[in-house]
Amino acid sequence: MIIGLKIKEPMENLEQSCIFCSIVAGDVPAEVVYHDEQVVAVKDANPQAPVHVLLIPREHNLESLNDASKLDVSLLGHLLYTAAKVANQMDIAESGYRVVINNAEAAGQSVPHLHLHVLGGRHLAWPPG
């Protein structure tokens, strides 16, 4: 036994049980507000602000930001670019919005599939936690 070795579930099993993979595949209904070859953006089913959109990578390559490597820089940049694009589309860019990545359960990540939250449409207090 190797101490500290994380045995991960095979990716195909994760994708079969992942709610975000099911949304991306169209198997679970969601209100899509934007999509492209890398990302699907949907309205959050449990919104925390008047505008609350989830940006979900189509590929389930990363469970969290901790799993990112230099090979993921392009996707991460595309997610941020898409966050700004969605904020403009949803008319919250000028009034202000927040982009959030919850990383790990203690920070509020409930689905192990990297995703971003775009929140706006009201004053967002600081600190957030």
Side-chain angles (χ1 to χ4, degrees):
M1 178 173 166
I2 300 174
I3 307 273
L5 178 65
K6 283 175 92 177
I7 306 296
K8 290 191 173 184
E9 191 174 353
M11 191 61 70
E12 55 275 359
N13 291 343
L14 282 173
E15 291 174 2
Q16 289 173 359
S17 63
C18 175
I19 185 68
F20 288 165
C21 289
S22 296
I23 290 170
V24 168
D27 297 334
V28 171
E31 189 173 343
V32 176
V33 297
Y34 175 85
H35 66 91
D36 63 26
E37 65 284 346
Q38 296 181 66
V39 178
V40 174
V42 300
K43 289 188 176 181
D44 194 298
N46 184 26
Q48 302 301 304
V51 175
H52 188 169
V53 176
L54 300 176
L55 276 63
I56 307 167
R58 287 184 181 274
E59 299 294 324
H60 190 139
N61 295 335
L62 301 171
E63 288 188 18
S64 73
L65 193 56
N66 282 344
D67 297 324
S69 74
K70 199 169 190 171
L71 298 173
D72 301 304
V73 168
S74 178
L75 172 63
L76 296 172
H78 185 72
L79 285 165
L80 289 175
Y81 166 78
T82 303
K85 192 171 190 168
V86 166
N88 275 292
Q89 178 184 321
M90 302 298 290
D91 274 340
I92 59 171
E94 294 300 318
S95 61
Y97 63 98
R98 185 170 291 158
V99 178
V100 176
I101 300 174
N102 296 321
N103 196 68
E105 191 174 335
Q109 184 180 12
S110 59
V111 179
H113 182 138
L114 178 70
H115 59 284
L116 279 66
H117 299 256
V118 177
L119 300 131
R122 66 168 171 80
H123 178 77
L124 301 169
W126 193 262

